[in-house]
């Protein structure tokens, strides 16, 4: 999904009229997410705080400062779509850039707080916290 950006996702959400269409779009984003190799689906890579199983790994890319690349997967369709959104927002950025992303504003622009269950919202922000922790460690 290299052609997708946060701004493009926001535009797509604005074009889609109702929440049923938006949910389908999020699920479709998840379907396009490459599957994470089974060897990475370990307890160490599991994101704590998610009701569904979510695994997240990071790789440090080339460059100075280096960029962080994230790979992730989930066993739930909608969560997999939320994972895809987070990877678009964070992957390929430096640790400093990751820590500056205002993901809560992005979450509000997509109007997700009104349409996700509290447990899904908590899981979403658990993934954000894990990404920020990995970025802080890399900084």
């Amino acid at each position: 999904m290299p052609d997708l950006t946060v701004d493009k996702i926001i535009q797509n959400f604005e074009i889609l009229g109702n929440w049923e269409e938006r949910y389908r779009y999020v699920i479709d984003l998840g379907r396009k997410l490459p599957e994470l190799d089974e060897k990475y689906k370990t307890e160490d890579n599991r994101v704590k705080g998610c009701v569904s199983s979510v695994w997240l790994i990071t790789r440090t890319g080339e460059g100075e400062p280096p960029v962080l690349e994230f790979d992730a997967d989930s066993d739930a369709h909608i969560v997999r779509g939320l994972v895809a959104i987070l990877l678009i927002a964070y992957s390929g950025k430096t640790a400093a850039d990751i820590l500056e992303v205002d993901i809560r504003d992005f979450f509000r622009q997509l109007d997700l707080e009104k349409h996700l269950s509290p447990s899904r919202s908590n899981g979403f922000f658990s993934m954000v916290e894990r990404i920020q922790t990995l970025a802080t460690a890399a900084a």
Side-chain angles (χ1 to χ4, degrees), residues 16-133:
L16 298 170
N18 62 42
W19 267 95
E20 190 174 314
E21 291 175 349
R22 291 176 179 184
Y23 275 127
R24 272 187 261 151
Y25 175 68
V26 171
I27 290 169
D28 190 48
L29 288 175
R31 286 189 181 121
K32 294 176 182 170
L33 190 67
E35 282 194 37
L36 189 65
D37 191 306
E38 288 296 320
K39 71 181 179 183
Y40 296 116
K41 293 181 180 180
T42 65
E43 197 56 33
D44 286 344
N45 294 330
R46 192 167 185 275
V47 177
K48 311 301 185 263
C50 292
V51 174
S52 304
S53 293
V54 176
W55 302 273
L56 176 74
I57 62 168
T58 185
R59 293 174 278 113
T60 304
E62 299 295 316
E64 194 53 48
V67 297
L68 299 177
E69 299 289 342
F70 297 98
D71 293 311
D73 204 350
S74 175
D75 61 354
H77 293 296
I78 191 76
V79 175
R80 205 170 145 78
L82 295 172
V83 165
I85 289 171
L86 286 176
L87 296 186
I88 290 164
Y90 288 115
S91 203
K93 292 182 169 38
T94 65
D97 289 341
I98 287 168
L99 296 172
E100 288 182 11
V101 170
D102 186 352
I103 202 70
R104 288 196 184 272
D105 183 56
F106 179 40
F107 195 75
R108 275 190 297 278
Q109 287 184 59
L110 297 180
D111 204 22
L112 289 172
E113 71 274 2
K114 292 181 188 172
H115 298 280
L116 290 181
S117 68
S119 62
R120 291 258 192 262
S121 292
N122 289 340
F124 181 87
F125 288 109
S126 292
M127 290 184 279
V128 169
E129 186 178 319
R130 174 77 180 271
I131 289 169
Q132 291 173 337
T133 299

